[in-house]
Amino acid sequence: MTFRFSEFADATHIEPSGEGLWRAEIQPDWDIAGAANGGYLLSIVARASAAAGGRPDPVTVTGHFLSPGTPGPVTIATEVIKTGRRFATVRSKMTNADGRPLLTSIGAFSDLTDAPGPEMVSAVVPDLPPVDECVPVDPTPAFPPPFMTQVELRIHPEDSRFAMGRPTGTARVRGWFRFRRAQPLDTLGLIVATDAFPPTIFNTELPIAWAPTVELTTHIRKRPDPDAWLRCAFTTRFITRGFLEEDGELWDEDGHFVAQSRQLALLPRD
Amino acid sequence: MTFRFSEFADATHIEPSGEGLWRAEIQPDWDIAGAANGGYLLSIVARASAAAGGRPDPVTVTGHFLSPGTPGPVTIATEVIKTGRRFATVRSKMTNADGRPLLTSIGAFSDLTDAPGPEMVSAVVPDLPPVDECVPVDPTPAFPPPFMTQVELRIHPEDSRFAMGRPTGTARVRGWFRFRRAQPLDTLGLIVATDAFPPTIFNTELPIAWAPTVELTTHIRKRPDPDAWLRCAFTTRFITRGFLEEDGELWDEDGHFVAQSRQLALLPRD
């Protein structure tokens, strides 16, 4: 296999293939630790759902992850449940060539170009040093290529201590996100950003291991600046009974709130 | 119409009515401000989904609210997407007698009887005065019956100031929850608890108005003590561009974390 880069738009390309059906192809260069990145998979499903609903932007989208995605053709079956004045509500299911379901989702899609309303934000913009003073996450055995060749992360120096075997003890990872190679960021790309950072639990005393996502919900309030870095913070407050949540906040470089996410993940078992 | 009370178990009763289909009836006594309480509607759908999946407890369930529910018969069409070792993933759609979709959902269902794992909770249990020192929410024109005759809320005195026209300025409502008349609380009832309190924005300077829910996701970690009060806190940090989130935390009376919720709601327009 020739190793190649497919840009985000190409890697999430969909083609209509029948009533409510879309064909796509999971690209090998969005793989991490043996499976396609979950945010990437969900962004393909969201693209098909948005196309089916005739609205460009996911306002809230939930995905349930059922099986790891491996490179190859997939089908997305979409069903528009309701088309209203503001939202199209669409549910979708992605299956691989063997008919195995990989992901199922519901989303409300709209056009976020013009969304007026009062701004009352009590949260604080994540406190990050400038990009150049943060720690790059380059492809290594711990953060395997090829996914890390697609996204560019710069971690807050404090929160990158786990990489030196000195976790902070606080289940939090803050950092900057953008696509590599000046790929523009849109509302579908934001879904990738919500699932791109090292797990928050890397900064706890728990054994380092990837925590499989059961469900990921992202609320998108605003189209991001396509060419700028995103300011991100991920935190976990509840590790209980084999589960943990991971809450994400995404802000524009200039401090506007863009999106928030929450995922339910499984604590890796020994 | 005779005004009557139907207990939660009866009010969410489902009957199989064909392949993956369930019949239920929206009861008039779970109505608030002209529409069935959203948490109540979602708990009916979750009951059908759990039955279809053969697992009793919702671990994570997302509902998208499409049209107000009014009393009368409804059909829930369930589809089991995957049955795994730990979870059954089920998507469902509730339609009324006219065929109008009211609610669509996806959930992962499991058995939460025995869920071991390390406990690492950095959140603080909501600081609430004893039940008797909190402010009851009794049925009034502002909090209309009949829903408030089903649930018993005791609001933190600080957070109930909006009722006297003196909002705190902090979009937060903390309080105690239980069903009235000693109805036991189970994991389906928790879904009602996540959507039962006065909106957090009542404590802001925004005009008092109900904020319609677009989507509600609840993660349930633990079966609640069926006979005790739940300790709850709801907060909103981001009111932007016509949307707000409402984050809920639910704890047992004795301080164990039970569930968390997030809903995306629409800011009422003038």
Side-chain angles (χ1 to χ4, degrees), chain A residues 59-67 77 79 81-82 85-87 89 91-93 100-101 103-108 110 112-124 169 204-206 214-215 217-223 236-245 247-249 251 257 260-264 266-267 269, chain B residues 59-67 77 79 81-82 85-87 89 91-93 100-101 103-108 110 112-124 169 204-206 214-215 217-223 236-245 247-249 251 257 260-264 266-267 269:
Chain A
V59 169
T60 165
V61 64
T62 291
H64 279 243
F65 296 86
L66 305 170
S67 292
E79 183 189 354
I81 305 278
K82 184 187 173 187
R85 199 170 47 81
R86 285 180 76 176
F87 303 113
T89 305
R91 67 179 189 181
S92 301
K93 185 167 68 167
R100 176 194 286 268
L103 179 51
T104 181
S105 82
I106 315 181
S110 188
L112 288 175
T113 311
D114 178 40
E119 299 269 323
M120 298 170 65
V121 173
S122 63
V124 178
T204 67
E205 301 295 342
L206 293 169
V214 178
E215 177 256 312
T217 295
T218 301
H219 295 176
I220 296 176
R221 303 283 181 93
K222 179 181 178 298
R223 292 188 179 164
T236 295
R237 295 181 307 137
F238 301 100
I239 301 173
T240 70
R241 301 170 72 85
F243 296 97
L244 62 126
E245 93 289 3
D247 280 353
E249 287 175 17
W251 307 69
F257 179 63
Q260 66 189 153
S261 65
R262 172 172 289 167
Q263 65 170 262
L264 183 70
L266 292 175
L267 200 64
R269 288 178 168 174
Chain B
V59 168
T60 166
V61 63
T62 292
H64 279 243
F65 295 87
L66 305 170
S67 292
E79 183 189 354
I81 305 279
K82 184 187 173 187
R85 201 171 45 84
R86 285 181 75 176
F87 304 113
T89 305
R91 67 180 188 180
S92 301
K93 184 166 69 165
R100 176 193 287 268
L103 179 52
T104 182
S105 83
I106 315 182
S110 189
L112 288 175
T113 311
D114 178 40
E119 299 270 321
M120 298 171 64
V121 173
S122 63
V124 178
T204 68
E205 302 295 342
L206 293 168
V214 178
E215 177 256 311
T217 295
T218 301
H219 295 175
I220 296 176
R221 302 284 181 93
K222 179 181 176 298
R223 292 188 180 165
T236 295
R237 295 181 308 136
F238 301 101
I239 301 174
T240 70
R241 302 171 71 87
F243 295 96
L244 62 125
E245 94 289 2
D247 280 353
E249 286 174 18
W251 307 68
F257 179 63
Q260 67 188 151
S261 65
R262 173 172 289 167
Q263 65 169 266
L264 184 70
L266 293 174
L267 201 63
R269 287 177 167 175

Side-chain angles (χ1 to χ4, degrees), chain B residues 14 60 103 155 168 186:
Chain B
I14 52 164
T60 166
L103 179 52
I155 311 284
T168 59
D186 59 10

Side-chain angles (χ1 to χ4, degrees), chain A:
Chain A
M1 186 176 72
T2 310
F3 190 76
R4 63 192 181 84
F5 298 107
S6 64
E7 304 294 292
F8 178 67
D10 295 334
T12 57
H13 179 72
I14 52 164
E15 273 180 22
S17 67
E19 182 69 23
L21 295 177
W22 307 81
R23 206 172 9 226
E25 192 163 329
I26 298 176
Q27 300 297 324
D29 42 350
W30 291 79
D31 194 273
I32 186 161
N37 170 262
Y40 162 60
L41 281 190
L42 185 53
S43 69
I44 300 174
V45 173
R47 187 182 293 285
S49 306
R55 310 285 166 93
D57 300 305
V59 169
T60 165
V61 64
T62 291
H64 279 243
F65 296 86
L66 305 170
S67 292
T70 49
V74 289
T75 300
I76 302 110
T78 59
E79 183 189 354
V80 179
I81 305 278
K82 184 187 173 187
T83 304
R85 199 170 47 81
R86 285 180 76 176
F87 303 113
T89 305
V90 183
R91 67 179 189 181
S92 301
K93 185 167 68 167
M94 174 190 269
T95 48
N96 70 8
D98 300 330
R100 176 194 286 268
L102 304 182
L103 179 51
T104 181
S105 82
I106 315 181
F109 296 82
S110 188
D111 185 324
L112 288 175
T113 311
D114 178 40
E119 299 269 323
M120 298 170 65
V121 173
S122 63
V124 178
V125 181
D127 181 26
L128 284 173
V131 169
D132 288 346
E133 294 170 26
C134 286
V135 179
V137 179
D138 290 320
T140 65
F143 300 101
F147 179 65
M148 287 299 161
T149 62
Q150 293 290 352
V151 303
E152 189 166 6
L153 306 181
R154 300 289 175 96
I155 310 284
H156 192 303
E158 251 176 49
D159 300 348
S160 71
R161 286 178 34 186
F162 66 85
M164 282 83 74
R166 291 186 294 116
T168 60
T170 298
R172 178 173 65 173
V173 174
R174 293 161 295 178
W176 300 98
F177 170 96
R178 70 178 179 188
F179 284 134
R180 292 190 191 260
R181 296 181 304 285
Q183 298 177 61
L185 186 64
D186 59 10
T187 51
L188 294 168
L190 288 176
I191 298 173
V192 176
T194 65
D195 195 37
F197 281 77
T200 53
I201 53 168
F202 281 14
N203 267 325
T204 67
E205 301 295 342
L206 293 169
I208 295 254
W210 295 89
T213 305
V214 178
E215 177 256 312
L216 168 62
T217 295
T218 301
H219 295 176
I220 296 176
R221 303 283 181 93
K222 179 181 178 298
R223 292 188 179 164
D225 181 337
D227 304 313
W229 290 88
L230 274 182
R231 205 184 262 274
C232 305
F234 296 87
T235 52
T236 295
R237 295 181 307 137
F238 301 100
I239 301 173
T240 70
R241 301 170 72 85
F243 296 97
L244 62 126
E245 93 289 3
E246 195 169 302
D247 280 353
E249 287 175 17
L250 284 61
W251 307 69
D252 260 348
E253 203 169 341
D254 61 3
H256 291 108
F257 179 63
V258 170
Q260 66 189 153
S261 65
R262 172 172 289 167
Q263 65 170 262
L264 183 70
L266 292 175
L267 200 64
R269 288 178 168 174
D270 298 334

